[in-house]
Amino acid sequence: MAASGPIDDPTTDYFDPASDKIREECGVFGIFGLENAASLTALGMHALQHRGQEACGIASFDGEKFHTERHLGLVGDNFTGDDPSERLPGYMAIGHVRYSTAGQTILRNVQPLFSMLHTGGFAIAHNGHLTNAYTIREQLVEAGALFQSTSDTEVLIHLIARAKGGEFIDRFINAIRQVDGGYAFVALTDKTLIGARDRLGIRPLLIGRLGDSYILASETCAFDMVGAEFIREVDPGEVVAINADGIRSFRAFPEIAPRPCVFEFVYFARPDSIVGGKSVYNVRKRMGQRLAEETPADVDVIIPVPDSGVPAAIGFAQETGIPFELGIIRNHYVGRTFIQPTQQIRDMGVRLKHSANRAMIEGKRVLLVDDSIVRGTTSTKIVRMIKAAGATEVHFRSASPPIKFPDHYGIDMPNKEKLIAANYSLEAMTEMLEVDSLGFLSIEGLYWAMGEEYRREDAPQYTDHCFTGHYPTPLIDRDREMADGSKQLSFLVEVA
């Protein structure tokens, strides 16, 4: 994921005005067996752009040598115009769209990362976060390793380089057995496209097919973009190796009950994607339907906070019969570079991206529906904007439960002290957001929307720790940081 610069540094208070939203993770894409593989990879990355907008890169192999190209910024700004395959020839390629939660926006952190190992060239891209990356990195540095980036992805490269014996895939598996956390890797050797998913399936990775060629991607929408057929998900703990002989599957870990990330349904995945066999759009509508049952409101109009609040707001409106209107118009053409860390710009930041549709608001009791509430800062500014447009009442509903715990698996989630629901009662939050009423979807309602029953006594079916505090893996680096008060993890190892 592309490193964030000073303006978007999560340690500051002058975030991008969308900072109250959960920040995207990353997206990965890989293809084997088609000429012009880089061009199709660029198209797949376009479909995954919502997962990371700060940097992008492609690595390809043409049968003789590797080619890599990495840029800061959007896919469309860097891989359009001339055919990317003219610069990046080859029949296999991997791509990455990136967002990080720490570090600086510097090219050396942009993925895919490429290294010359003793086995040959190797390129790798990563979605997720290794929760013991700093601990391993420290051990490697003490043993003489030299790091070129601040990405936890580079830790895996060093582990692969030091692995002993067997085929390359054996070395790769040996390396991922030493790391923990949530991850989806795509990688290239001179013969093979490799995909790997963490043992709990926290981060997504899928297999598709285009003719006789195979594709790996973070979401099904990337297959739709290139005209490929979705085959199946990479299983939790599975490593797949794709070459001229087809696909080989390896089990890197003993099988255990999977726990995919619930935020793919809440926020990350594109509405037209299929996750775990479920339509993301339908699940989000069901969240709104259940939200209407659990937290009704006597209002005149339902307005989504664009864009992620739209499906839930539609579900709320359909359940209640209250009119749905686009009362907030989003400006999709405001770039991050326009946002400057001055008080004047901070105060008007929301208006740069959102404008009130006064004709749908004035004189009405308004219900705002959003996917979640993190800090509450942007939500408050949106509420003020709706009031300024003439609303007589403003009510707010979150289509997910209160976020009370930070993330450690690749989501830019603030520490607990900055999560509004972790520190204030419902009544206090209602006052802080300056709304007439406030409501959240219950954890039971969230699982219901996904067609599941929430099991309180058993291990949860999903990685839902941001709501429940039930972290699915050991948090080795976090625990070390808490024990010694070190800030090294936050600033030296960035999320990929």
mmCIF file with all atom_site columns, all heavy atoms in Angstrom, residues 160 163-177 194 239 248 250:
data_model
loop_
_atom_site.group_PDB
_atom_site.id
_atom_site.type_symbol
_atom_site.label_atom_id
_atom_site.label_alt_id
_atom_site.label_comp_id
_atom_site.label_asym_id
_atom_site.label_entity_id
_atom_site.label_seq_id
_atom_site.pdbx_PDB_ins_code
_atom_site.Cartn_x
_atom_site.Cartn_y
_atom_site.Cartn_z
_atom_site.occupancy
_atom_site.B_iso_or_equiv
_atom_site.pdbx_formal_charge
_atom_site.auth_seq_id
_atom_site.auth_comp_id
_atom_site.auth_asym_id
_atom_site.auth_atom_id
_atom_site.pdbx_PDB_model_num
ATOM 1   N N   . ILE A 1 160 ? 12.762 -15.839 2.719  1.00 0.00 ? 160 ILE A N   1
ATOM 2   C CA  . ILE A 1 160 ? 12.870 -16.728 1.560  1.00 0.00 ? 160 ILE A CA  1
ATOM 3   C C   . ILE A 1 160 ? 14.336 -16.897 1.171  1.00 0.00 ? 160 ILE A C   1
ATOM 4   O O   . ILE A 1 160 ? 14.804 -18.012 0.890  1.00 0.00 ? 160 ILE A O   1
ATOM 5   C CB  . ILE A 1 160 ? 12.054 -16.181 0.370  1.00 0.00 ? 160 ILE A CB  1
ATOM 6   C CG1 . ILE A 1 160 ? 10.564 -16.209 0.691  1.00 0.00 ? 160 ILE A CG1 1
ATOM 7   C CG2 . ILE A 1 160 ? 12.340 -16.986 -0.900 1.00 0.00 ? 160 ILE A CG2 1
ATOM 8   C CD1 . ILE A 1 160 ? 9.709  -15.459 -0.316 1.00 0.00 ? 160 ILE A CD1 1
ATOM 9   N N   . ALA A 1 163 ? 16.034 -19.346 3.429  1.00 0.00 ? 163 ALA A N   1
ATOM 10  C CA  . ALA A 1 163 ? 15.477 -20.701 3.543  1.00 0.00 ? 163 ALA A CA  1
ATOM 11  C C   . ALA A 1 163 ? 16.386 -21.711 2.857  1.00 0.00 ? 163 ALA A C   1
ATOM 12  O O   . ALA A 1 163 ? 17.099 -21.394 1.900  1.00 0.00 ? 163 ALA A O   1
ATOM 13  C CB  . ALA A 1 163 ? 14.083 -20.741 2.928  1.00 0.00 ? 163 ALA A CB  1
ATOM 14  N N   . LYS A 1 164 ? 16.354 -22.935 3.321  1.00 0.00 ? 164 LYS A N   1
ATOM 15  C CA  . LYS A 1 164 ? 17.266 -23.972 2.837  1.00 0.00 ? 164 LYS A CA  1
ATOM 16  C C   . LYS A 1 164 ? 16.537 -25.000 1.972  1.00 0.00 ? 164 LYS A C   1
ATOM 17  O O   . LYS A 1 164 ? 15.396 -25.361 2.240  1.00 0.00 ? 164 LYS A O   1
ATOM 18  C CB  . LYS A 1 164 ? 17.917 -24.707 4.018  1.00 0.00 ? 164 LYS A CB  1
ATOM 19  C CG  . LYS A 1 164 ? 18.662 -23.802 4.985  1.00 0.00 ? 164 LYS A CG  1
ATOM 20  C CD  . LYS A 1 164 ? 19.883 -23.180 4.342  1.00 0.00 ? 164 LYS A CD  1
ATOM 21  C CE  . LYS A 1 164 ? 20.670 -22.365 5.357  1.00 0.00 ? 164 LYS A CE  1
ATOM 22  N NZ  . LYS A 1 164 ? 21.850 -21.726 4.752  1.00 0.00 ? 164 LYS A NZ  1
ATOM 23  N N   . GLY A 1 165 ? 17.236 -25.454 0.927  1.00 0.00 ? 165 GLY A N   1
ATOM 24  C CA  . GLY A 1 165 ? 16.897 -26.665 0.183  1.00 0.00 ? 165 GLY A CA  1
ATOM 25  C C   . GLY A 1 165 ? 15.562 -26.682 -0.517 1.00 0.00 ? 165 GLY A C   1
ATOM 26  O O   . GLY A 1 165 ? 14.750 -25.774 -0.424 1.00 0.00 ? 165 GLY A O   1
ATOM 27  N N   . GLY A 1 166 ? 15.352 -27.747 -1.298 1.00 0.00 ? 166 GLY A N   1
ATOM 28  C CA  . GLY A 1 166 ? 14.085 -28.001 -1.948 1.00 0.00 ? 166 GLY A CA  1
ATOM 29  C C   . GLY A 1 166 ? 13.803 -27.056 -3.101 1.00 0.00 ? 166 GLY A C   1
ATOM 30  O O   . GLY A 1 166 ? 14.633 -26.238 -3.507 1.00 0.00 ? 166 GLY A O   1
ATOM 31  N N   . GLU A 1 167 ? 12.598 -27.187 -3.660 1.00 0.00 ? 167 GLU A N   1
ATOM 32  C CA  . GLU A 1 167 ? 12.160 -26.282 -4.711 1.00 0.00 ? 167 GLU A CA  1
ATOM 33  C C   . GLU A 1 167 ? 11.924 -24.881 -4.126 1.00 0.00 ? 167 GLU A C   1
ATOM 34  O O   . GLU A 1 167 ? 11.803 -24.697 -2.916 1.00 0.00 ? 167 GLU A O   1
ATOM 35  C CB  . GLU A 1 167 ? 10.852 -26.772 -5.320 1.00 0.00 ? 167 GLU A CB  1
ATOM 36  C CG  . GLU A 1 167 ? 10.910 -28.116 -6.011 1.00 0.00 ? 167 GLU A CG  1
ATOM 37  C CD  . GLU A 1 167 ? 9.566  -28.456 -6.620 1.00 0.00 ? 167 GLU A CD  1
ATOM 38  O OE1 . GLU A 1 167 ? 9.024  -27.633 -7.394 1.00 0.00 ? 167 GLU A OE1 1
ATOM 39  O OE2 . GLU A 1 167 ? 9.046  -29.545 -6.318 1.00 0.00 ? 167 GLU A OE2 1
ATOM 40  N N   . PHE A 1 168 ? 11.802 -23.910 -5.025 1.00 0.00 ? 168 PHE A N   1
ATOM 41  C CA  . PHE A 1 168 ? 11.547 -22.548 -4.558 1.00 0.00 ? 168 PHE A CA  1
ATOM 42  C C   . PHE A 1 168 ? 10.260 -22.483 -3.763 1.00 0.00 ? 168 PHE A C   1
ATOM 43  O O   . PHE A 1 168 ? 10.186 -21.780 -2.744 1.00 0.00 ? 168 PHE A O   1
ATOM 44  C CB  . PHE A 1 168 ? 11.479 -21.572 -5.735 1.00 0.00 ? 168 PHE A CB  1
ATOM 45  C CG  . PHE A 1 168 ? 11.277 -20.153 -5.287 1.00 0.00 ? 168 PHE A CG  1
ATOM 46  C CD1 . PHE A 1 168 ? 12.360 -19.351 -4.985 1.00 0.00 ? 168 PHE A CD1 1
ATOM 47  C CD2 . PHE A 1 168 ? 9.993  -19.621 -5.133 1.00 0.00 ? 168 PHE A CD2 1
ATOM 48  C CE1 . PHE A 1 168 ? 12.181 -18.049 -4.536 1.00 0.00 ? 168 PHE A CE1 1
ATOM 49  C CE2 . PHE A 1 168 ? 9.812  -18.323 -4.696 1.00 0.00 ? 168 PHE A CE2 1
ATOM 50  C CZ  . PHE A 1 168 ? 10.904 -17.536 -4.393 1.00 0.00 ? 168 PHE A CZ  1
ATOM 51  N N   . ILE A 1 169 ? 9.248  -23.217 -4.184 1.00 0.00 ? 169 ILE A N   1
ATOM 52  C CA  . ILE A 1 169 ? 7.977  -23.172 -3.479 1.00 0.00 ? 169 ILE A CA  1
ATOM 53  C C   . ILE A 1 169 ? 8.132  -23.667 -2.046 1.00 0.00 ? 169 ILE A C   1
ATOM 54  O O   . ILE A 1 169 ? 7.444  -23.193 -1.128 1.00 0.00 ? 169 ILE A O   1
ATOM 55  C CB  . ILE A 1 169 ? 6.881  -23.971 -4.242 1.00 0.00 ? 169 ILE A CB  1
ATOM 56  C CG1 . ILE A 1 169 ? 5.497  -23.598 -3.730 1.00 0.00 ? 169 ILE A CG1 1
ATOM 57  C CG2 . ILE A 1 169 ? 7.142  -25.467 -4.153 1.00 0.00 ? 169 ILE A CG2 1
ATOM 58  C CD1 . ILE A 1 169 ? 5.078  -22.200 -4.062 1.00 0.00 ? 169 ILE A CD1 1
ATOM 59  N N   . ASP A 1 170 ? 9.047  -24.601 -1.830 1.00 0.00 ? 170 ASP A N   1
ATOM 60  C CA  . ASP A 1 170 ? 9.309  -25.081 -0.475 1.00 0.00 ? 170 ASP A CA  1
ATOM 61  C C   . ASP A 1 170 ? 9.931  -23.977 0.377  1.00 0.00 ? 170 ASP A C   1
ATOM 62  O O   . ASP A 1 170 ? 9.608  -23.840 1.561  1.00 0.00 ? 170 ASP A O   1
ATOM 63  C CB  . ASP A 1 170 ? 10.224 -26.299 -0.510 1.00 0.00 ? 170 ASP A CB  1
ATOM 64  C CG  . ASP A 1 170 ? 9.610  -27.476 -1.250 1.00 0.00 ? 170 ASP A CG  1
ATOM 65  O OD1 . ASP A 1 170 ? 8.399  -27.696 -1.080 1.00 0.00 ? 170 ASP A OD1 1
ATOM 66  O OD2 . ASP A 1 170 ? 10.329 -28.154 -2.001 1.00 0.00 ? 170 ASP A OD2 1
ATOM 67  N N   . ARG A 1 171 ? 10.823 -23.210 -0.223 1.00 0.00 ? 171 ARG A N   1
ATOM 68  C CA  . ARG A 1 171 ? 11.444 -22.099 0.498  1.00 0.00 ? 171 ARG A CA  1
ATOM 69  C C   . ARG A 1 171 ? 10.395 -21.036 0.835  1.00 0.00 ? 171 ARG A C   1
ATOM 70  O O   . ARG A 1 171 ? 10.396 -20.450 1.921  1.00 0.00 ? 171 ARG A O   1
ATOM 71  C CB  . ARG A 1 171 ? 12.551 -21.474 -0.356 1.00 0.00 ? 171 ARG A CB  1
ATOM 72  C CG  . ARG A 1 171 ? 13.687 -22.418 -0.704 1.00 0.00 ? 171 ARG A CG  1
ATOM 73  C CD  . ARG A 1 171 ? 14.586 -21.795 -1.776 1.00 0.00 ? 171 ARG A CD  1
ATOM 74  N NE  . ARG A 1 171 ? 15.577 -22.737 -2.249 1.00 0.00 ? 171 ARG A NE  1
ATOM 75  C CZ  . ARG A 1 171 ? 16.837 -22.777 -1.815 1.00 0.00 ? 171 ARG A CZ  1
ATOM 76  N NH1 . ARG A 1 171 ? 17.232 -21.915 -0.899 1.00 0.00 ? 171 ARG A NH1 1
ATOM 77  N NH2 . ARG A 1 171 ? 17.681 -23.663 -2.284 1.00 0.00 ? 171 ARG A NH2 1
ATOM 78  N N   . PHE A 1 172 ? 9.509  -20.789 -0.115 1.00 0.00 ? 172 PHE A N   1
ATOM 79  C CA  . PHE A 1 172 ? 8.446  -19.815 0.098  1.00 0.00 ? 172 PHE A CA  1
ATOM 80  C C   . PHE A 1 172 ? 7.548  -20.247 1.260  1.00 0.00 ? 172 PHE A C   1
ATOM 81  O O   . PHE A 1 172 ? 7.227  -19.450 2.141  1.00 0.00 ? 172 PHE A O   1
ATOM 82  C CB  . PHE A 1 172 ? 7.629  -19.668 -1.187 1.00 0.00 ? 172 PHE A CB  1
ATOM 83  C CG  . PHE A 1 172 ? 6.553  -18.632 -1.128 1.00 0.00 ? 172 PHE A CG  1
ATOM 84  C CD1 . PHE A 1 172 ? 6.818  -17.319 -1.505 1.00 0.00 ? 172 PHE A CD1 1
ATOM 85  C CD2 . PHE A 1 172 ? 5.270  -18.943 -0.693 1.00 0.00 ? 172 PHE A CD2 1
ATOM 86  C CE1 . PHE A 1 172 ? 5.826  -16.344 -1.454 1.00 0.00 ? 172 PHE A CE1 1
ATOM 87  C CE2 . PHE A 1 172 ? 4.276  -17.983 -0.639 1.00 0.00 ? 172 PHE A CE2 1
ATOM 88  C CZ  . PHE A 1 172 ? 4.561  -16.680 -1.017 1.00 0.00 ? 172 PHE A CZ  1
ATOM 89  N N   . ILE A 1 173 ? 7.157  -21.504 1.260  1.00 0.00 ? 173 ILE A N   1
ATOM 90  C CA  . ILE A 1 173 ? 6.294  -22.009 2.335  1.00 0.00 ? 173 ILE A CA  1
ATOM 91  C C   . ILE A 1 173 ? 7.012  -21.957 3.670  1.00 0.00 ? 173 ILE A C   1
ATOM 92  O O   . ILE A 1 173 ? 6.433  -21.596 4.705  1.00 0.00 ? 173 ILE A O   1
ATOM 93  C CB  . ILE A 1 173 ? 5.821  -23.433 2.003  1.00 0.00 ? 173 ILE A CB  1
ATOM 94  C CG1 . ILE A 1 173 ? 4.851  -23.391 0.817  1.00 0.00 ? 173 ILE A CG1 1
ATOM 95  C CG2 . ILE A 1 173 ? 5.167  -24.092 3.218  1.00 0.00 ? 173 ILE A CG2 1
ATOM 96  C CD1 . ILE A 1 173 ? 4.475  -24.756 0.280  1.00 0.00 ? 173 ILE A CD1 1
ATOM 97  N N   . ASN A 1 174 ? 8.295  -22.312 3.676  1.00 0.00 ? 174 ASN A N   1
ATOM 98  C CA  . ASN A 1 174 ? 9.085  -22.227 4.903  1.00 0.00 ? 174 ASN A CA  1
ATOM 99  C C   . ASN A 1 174 ? 9.069  -20.808 5.453  1.00 0.00 ? 174 ASN A C   1
ATOM 100 O O   . ASN A 1 174 ? 8.971  -20.593 6.675  1.00 0.00 ? 174 ASN A O   1
ATOM 101 C CB  . ASN A 1 174 ? 10.526 -22.669 4.603  1.00 0.00 ? 174 ASN A CB  1
ATOM 102 C CG  . ASN A 1 174 ? 11.433 -22.546 5.816  1.00 0.00 ? 174 ASN A CG  1
ATOM 103 O OD1 . ASN A 1 174 ? 11.915 -21.467 6.144  1.00 0.00 ? 174 ASN A OD1 1
ATOM 104 N ND2 . ASN A 1 174 ? 11.680 -23.661 6.481  1.00 0.00 ? 174 ASN A ND2 1
ATOM 105 N N   . ALA A 1 175 ? 9.134  -19.817 4.557  1.00 0.00 ? 175 ALA A N   1
ATOM 106 C CA  . ALA A 1 175 ? 9.155  -18.420 4.990  1.00 0.00 ? 175 ALA A CA  1
ATOM 107 C C   . ALA A 1 175 ? 7.812  -17.986 5.577  1.00 0.00 ? 175 ALA A C   1
ATOM 108 O O   . ALA A 1 175 ? 7.762  -17.356 6.642  1.00 0.00 ? 175 ALA A O   1
ATOM 109 C CB  . ALA A 1 175 ? 9.542  -17.525 3.813  1.00 0.00 ? 175 ALA A CB  1
ATOM 110 N N   . ILE A 1 176 ? 6.705  -18.301 4.906  1.00 0.00 ? 176 ILE A N   1
ATOM 111 C CA  . ILE A 1 176 ? 5.419  -17.815 5.417  1.00 0.00 ? 176 ILE A CA  1
ATOM 112 C C   . ILE A 1 176 ? 5.022  -18.530 6.701  1.00 0.00 ? 176 ILE A C   1
ATOM 113 O O   . ILE A 1 176 ? 4.205  -18.001 7.473  1.00 0.00 ? 176 ILE A O   1
ATOM 114 C CB  . ILE A 1 176 ? 4.287  -17.912 4.369  1.00 0.00 ? 176 ILE A CB  1
ATOM 115 C CG1 . ILE A 1 176 ? 3.971  -19.351 3.995  1.00 0.00 ? 176 ILE A CG1 1
ATOM 116 C CG2 . ILE A 1 176 ? 4.609  -17.093 3.137  1.00 0.00 ? 176 ILE A CG2 1
ATOM 117 C CD1 . ILE A 1 176 ? 2.705  -19.465 3.156  1.00 0.00 ? 176 ILE A CD1 1
ATOM 118 N N   . ARG A 1 177 ? 5.596  -19.694 6.959  1.00 0.00 ? 177 ARG A N   1
ATOM 119 C CA  . ARG A 1 177 ? 5.325  -20.359 8.232  1.00 0.00 ? 177 ARG A CA  1
ATOM 120 C C   . ARG A 1 177 ? 5.948  -19.615 9.410  1.00 0.00 ? 177 ARG A C   1
ATOM 121 O O   . ARG A 1 177 ? 5.601  -19.872 10.566 1.00 0.00 ? 177 ARG A O   1
ATOM 122 C CB  . ARG A 1 177 ? 5.833  -21.796 8.192  1.00 0.00 ? 177 ARG A CB  1
ATOM 123 C CG  . ARG A 1 177 ? 4.936  -22.738 7.389  1.00 0.00 ? 177 ARG A CG  1
ATOM 124 C CD  . ARG A 1 177 ? 5.537  -24.116 7.255  1.00 0.00 ? 177 ARG A CD  1
ATOM 125 N NE  . ARG A 1 177 ? 4.596  -25.027 6.588  1.00 0.00 ? 177 ARG A NE  1
ATOM 126 C CZ  . ARG A 1 177 ? 4.944  -26.201 6.062  1.00 0.00 ? 177 ARG A CZ  1
ATOM 127 N NH1 . ARG A 1 177 ? 6.205  -26.605 6.122  1.00 0.00 ? 177 ARG A NH1 1
ATOM 128 N NH2 . ARG A 1 177 ? 4.034  -26.957 5.485  1.00 0.00 ? 177 ARG A NH2 1
ATOM 129 N N   . ILE A 1 194 ? 2.851  -17.248 -8.043 1.00 0.00 ? 194 ILE A N   1
ATOM 130 C CA  . ILE A 1 194 ? 2.545  -17.824 -6.729 1.00 0.00 ? 194 ILE A CA  1
ATOM 131 C C   . ILE A 1 194 ? 1.504  -16.963 -6.033 1.00 0.00 ? 194 ILE A C   1
ATOM 132 O O   . ILE A 1 194 ? 1.550  -15.731 -6.082 1.00 0.00 ? 194 ILE A O   1
ATOM 133 C CB  . ILE A 1 194 ? 3.812  -17.922 -5.858 1.00 0.00 ? 194 ILE A CB  1
ATOM 134 C CG1 . ILE A 1 194 ? 4.837  -18.858 -6.500 1.00 0.00 ? 194 ILE A CG1 1
ATOM 135 C CG2 . ILE A 1 194 ? 3.468  -18.394 -4.441 1.00 0.00 ? 194 ILE A CG2 1
ATOM 136 C CD1 . ILE A 1 194 ? 6.190  -18.828 -5.814 1.00 0.00 ? 194 ILE A CD1 1
ATOM 137 N N   . VAL A 1 239 ? -1.219 -22.281 -0.478 1.00 0.00 ? 239 VAL A N   1
ATOM 138 C CA  . VAL A 1 239 ? -0.289 -21.663 -1.423 1.00 0.00 ? 239 VAL A CA  1
ATOM 139 C C   . VAL A 1 239 ? -0.540 -22.305 -2.774 1.00 0.00 ? 239 VAL A C   1
ATOM 140 O O   . VAL A 1 239 ? -0.601 -23.542 -2.875 1.00 0.00 ? 239 VAL A O   1
ATOM 141 C CB  . VAL A 1 239 ? 1.177  -21.867 -1.002 1.00 0.00 ? 239 VAL A CB  1
ATOM 142 C CG1 . VAL A 1 239 ? 2.129  -21.299 -2.062 1.00 0.00 ? 239 VAL A CG1 1
ATOM 143 C CG2 . VAL A 1 239 ? 1.446  -21.225 0.352  1.00 0.00 ? 239 VAL A CG2 1
ATOM 144 N N   . ARG A 1 248 ? -0.703 -26.039 -9.042 1.00 0.00 ? 248 ARG A N   1
ATOM 145 C CA  . ARG A 1 248 ? -0.435 -26.957 -7.938 1.00 0.00 ? 248 ARG A CA  1
ATOM 146 C C   . ARG A 1 248 ? -0.847 -26.272 -6.638 1.00 0.00 ? 248 ARG A C   1
ATOM 147 O O   . ARG A 1 248 ? -0.649 -25.073 -6.460 1.00 0.00 ? 248 ARG A O   1
ATOM 148 C CB  . ARG A 1 248 ? 1.044  -27.327 -7.874 1.00 0.00 ? 248 ARG A CB  1
ATOM 149 C CG  . ARG A 1 248 ? 1.517  -28.239 -8.999 1.00 0.00 ? 248 ARG A CG  1
ATOM 150 C CD  . ARG A 1 248 ? 2.918  -28.757 -8.702 1.00 0.00 ? 248 ARG A CD  1
ATOM 151 N NE  . ARG A 1 248 ? 3.890  -27.654 -8.656 1.00 0.00 ? 248 ARG A NE  1
ATOM 152 C CZ  . ARG A 1 248 ? 5.128  -27.786 -8.164 1.00 0.00 ? 248 ARG A CZ  1
ATOM 153 N NH1 . ARG A 1 248 ? 5.524  -28.961 -7.650 1.00 0.00 ? 248 ARG A NH1 1
ATOM 154 N NH2 . ARG A 1 248 ? 5.952  -26.762 -8.172 1.00 0.00 ? 248 ARG A NH2 1
ATOM 155 N N   . PHE A 1 250 ? -0.683 -26.302 -2.363 1.00 0.00 ? 250 PHE A N   1
ATOM 156 C CA  . PHE A 1 250 ? 0.093  -26.752 -1.203 1.00 0.00 ? 250 PHE A CA  1
ATOM 157 C C   . PHE A 1 250 ? -0.598 -26.242 0.063  1.00 0.00 ? 250 PHE A C   1
ATOM 158 O O   . PHE A 1 250 ? -1.125 -25.131 0.086  1.00 0.00 ? 250 PHE A O   1
ATOM 159 C CB  . PHE A 1 250 ? 1.517  -26.204 -1.251 1.00 0.00 ? 250 PHE A CB  1
ATOM 160 C CG  . PHE A 1 250 ? 2.274  -26.552 -2.498 1.00 0.00 ? 250 PHE A CG  1
ATOM 161 C CD1 . PHE A 1 250 ? 2.137  -25.770 -3.638 1.00 0.00 ? 250 PHE A CD1 1
ATOM 162 C CD2 . PHE A 1 250 ? 3.113  -27.650 -2.538 1.00 0.00 ? 250 PHE A CD2 1
ATOM 163 C CE1 . PHE A 1 250 ? 2.841  -26.076 -4.799 1.00 0.00 ? 250 PHE A CE1 1
ATOM 164 C CE2 . PHE A 1 250 ? 3.815  -27.967 -3.687 1.00 0.00 ? 250 PHE A CE2 1
ATOM 165 C CZ  . PHE A 1 250 ? 3.683  -27.186 -4.825 1.00 0.00 ? 250 PHE A CZ  1
#
